[in-house]
Amino acid sequence: MTLLDARKLVSKKVDELKSRVDKLSKKPSLVIIRVGDDFASGKYVANKIKKCDEVGIDSKIIHFDGDVKQEVVEETILNLNKDEDITGILLQLPIPKHLDEDYLTNLIEDEKDVDGFTIGNMGKLSLGLESNVACTPRGIITLLKEFNIEIEGQDVLIINRSNIVGKPLAQLFLKENATVTIAHSKTKNLKEKIVLSDIVVTAVGKANFLRADDFKNNTTIIDVSINFNELGKMCGDVAKEDYDVLVNEKQCNLTPVPNGVGQMTVIELIEQTIEIAEKRERI
Ligand code: GUN
């Protein structure tokens, strides 16, 4: 089977999105709010801004010091909600502990919530209604469809129960008529569940957490994690030295890290921003 490398799909999508932006009367604009100096967040935000430039949409970072007061972030979000020139708002997570993450995330207007994280958007998704959808789950479904991987009727195991990945992704798989199991740190007999699954999504955050022996032949493995191994190299949860056995001997499909799911998250964010702009212009 194959390594599900996202790079070709991303460059095809960049071209498609550029022409969608050209058709709009006003350029979409994305504002990213970042608090503090978390190293990984800095990298993710830089990737998002770079992709906005590539596609030709406006973007801006509002960067607060790690000790910023809750009221300052609140006021910023409320002003951005009101600002007609802003298409989408994103609060990069995690934020420092003295700030109320749930409250601030929910302060973003549903329509401008490009992450799909508000109660309104998550609620609509759970009810099967049209909504903004979390970008990593969106990207995973797009990638599976691009590679013509069957979803309907498949046994899907998601090893993650977060609001960003596991929960919204379970909803998207249900919408595609898959049978979904969510596993987490307290799950019993995880290995038995992995070996019975047709599609395994892992977002555990531990290098070498999964090995080739853990999977049955023909499994599709979606590795969401971005970890760094003892040599400082980026890797996912699946051991890199097992990629060859998984793809060539066990006939598995596998998203590599890097160049897999991470690339998809960013392009889906840009696409969702453009979708919001398109909807606004249709009104
Ligand atoms: N932190 C890690 N992933 C994400 C994401 O998709 N959106 C936001 N806002 N923060 C994140």
Side-chain angles (χ1 to χ4, degrees):
M1 302 289 258
T2 185
L3 267 189
L4 308 175
D5 189 316
R7 284 175 292 183
K8 247 197 216 151
L9 169 59
V10 168
S11 69
K12 190 171 84 179
K13 271 191 162 279
V14 166
D15 291 341
E16 178 207 311
L17 294 177
K18 270 187 194 164
S19 63
R20 280 167 65 182
V21 171
D22 286 343
K23 291 195 186 90
L24 292 165
S25 58
K26 199 166 136 199
K27 254 191 190 183
S29 114
L30 173 67
V31 175
I32 301 180
I33 303 169
R34 184 176 169 217
V35 185
D37 288 309
D38 180 75
F39 176 76
S41 288
K43 287 213 150 196
Y44 299 150
V45 168
N47 283 338
K48 289 170 184 177
I49 297 287
K50 198 169 142 208
K51 227 22 151 216
C52 287
D53 292 347
E54 245 178 84
V55 173
I57 71 173
D58 287 332
S59 62
K60 184 169 109 178
I61 305 175
I62 299 178
H63 193 173
F64 293 113
D65 288 340
D67 60 357
V68 66
K69 286 207 165 70
Q70 167 101 5
E71 301 79 66
V72 175
V73 185
E74 271 181 45
E75 202 187 321
T76 302
I77 293 174
L78 292 174
N79 285 333
L80 291 168
N81 280 343
K82 277 187 277 181
D83 188 338
E84 286 284 320
D85 290 332
I86 303 302
T87 315
I89 308 165
L90 179 162
L91 175 64
Q92 185 67 31
L93 304 175
I95 53 177
K97 291 278 174 279
H98 72 280
L99 299 172
D100 187 335
E101 185 174 298
D102 290 339
Y103 180 78
L104 290 172
T105 297
N106 267 298
L107 217 50
I108 299 172
E109 230 176 49
D110 287 346
E111 190 209 314
K112 293 190 176 185
D113 165 34
V114 274
D115 265 325
F117 288 171
T118 63
I119 292 170
N121 281 318
M122 291 281 275
K124 282 185 193 155
L125 178 67
S126 307
L127 295 171
L129 302 173
E130 197 186 314
S131 67
N132 292 343
V133 176
C135 300
T136 299
R138 256 181 77 129
I140 291 170
I141 300 294
T142 303
L143 196 64
L144 290 171
K145 288 188 174 172
E146 172 71 14
F147 282 94
N148 293 315
I149 292 166
E150 175 105 52
I151 305 176
E152 184 162 299
Q154 300 296 289
D155 289 324
V156 177
L157 176 68
I158 303 169
I159 318 174
N160 181 283
R161 58 174 154 179
S162 70
N163 293 339
I164 295 181
V165 178
K167 286 179 202 157
L169 182 58
Q171 297 297 343
L172 293 184
F173 272 122
L174 283 176
K175 220 177 195 169
E176 299 291 335
N177 300 315
T179 304
V180 186
T181 304
I182 297 189
H184 46 78
S185 54
K186 303 285 188 283
T187 295
K188 286 188 294 179
N189 308 322
L190 180 63
K191 296 251 152 140
E192 286 172 21
K193 291 178 171 63
I194 293 171
V195 89
L196 288 172
S197 302
D198 303 308
I199 299 175
V200 176
V201 180
T202 179
V204 172
K206 280 188 196 156
N208 300 325
F209 180 71
L210 294 168
R211 313 290 316 212
D213 280 352
D214 293 322
F215 302 95
K216 68 172 161 122
N217 289 359
N218 297 109
T219 309
T220 293
I221 307 159
I222 307 292
D223 194 342
V224 182
S225 290
I226 296 175
N227 310 310
F228 293 90
N229 68 13
E230 57 288 351
L231 300 169
K233 272 203 129 187
M234 190 191 279
C235 61
D237 293 341
V238 178
K240 250 192 174 116
E241 66 214 61
D242 291 4
Y243 278 15
D244 186 43
V245 175
L246 281 164
V247 173
N248 296 315
E249 288 179 29
K250 302 199 82 166
Q251 303 294 305
C252 291
N253 296 306
L254 166 68
T255 60
V257 181
N259 300 322
V261 175
Q263 294 251 345
M264 293 308 299
T265 300
V266 181
I267 200 73
E268 294 288 337
L269 171 74
I270 312 293
E271 181 160 22
Q272 190 143 253
T273 309
I274 294 167
E275 280 170 12
I276 296 168
E278 288 170 340
K279 262 183 226 152
R280 278 172 69 169
E281 291 205 0
R282 259 180 247 131
I283 291 166

